[in-house]
Amino acid sequence: MITDVRTVLQDLPVDIRGFVVTDENGDPTVVLNARYNRETNLETYRHELEHIKAGDFHRHESADEIESRAHA
């Protein structure tokens, strides 16, 4: 179960909707692109939560492989 997820809005390149990073304690932060509207950011947030739930930070795969699997 996900309990604490920090979320920030940041101006990112338009081809990046968002991503997740972990801090030194392993706690996740979802970074959303401030250039997108609320609906897009909510969709991206849900997508990033799925990565957190799936434990994708503990996989030995590239980000491209993880995204391919997530969108399959």
Side-chain angles (χ1 to χ4, degrees):
M1 179 177 182
I2 302 171
T3 56
D4 292 321
V5 177
R6 182 172 178 234
T7 305
V8 296
L9 284 171
Q10 185 172 343
D11 285 337
L12 301 171
V14 294
D15 60 331
I16 299 173
R17 290 175 56 173
F19 57 90
V20 179
V21 294
T22 56
D23 64 17
E24 63 278 355
N25 298 318
D27 296 324
T29 297
V30 175
V31 180
L32 298 173
N33 195 335
R35 299 173 193 269
Y36 283 95
N37 63 29
R38 185 175 193 282
E39 289 94 24
T40 300
N41 277 329
L42 284 172
E43 181 181 313
T44 302
Y45 181 78
R46 286 189 292 269
H47 174 84
E48 298 306 331
L49 283 181
E50 289 303 317
H51 284 299
I52 295 167
K53 288 179 190 176
D56 288 341
F57 299 103
H58 306 291
R59 297 183 187 279
H60 299 289
E61 298 174 276
S62 71
D64 289 338
E65 291 170 322
I66 291 169
E67 282 302 316
S68 268
R69 186 175 31 76
H71 292 280

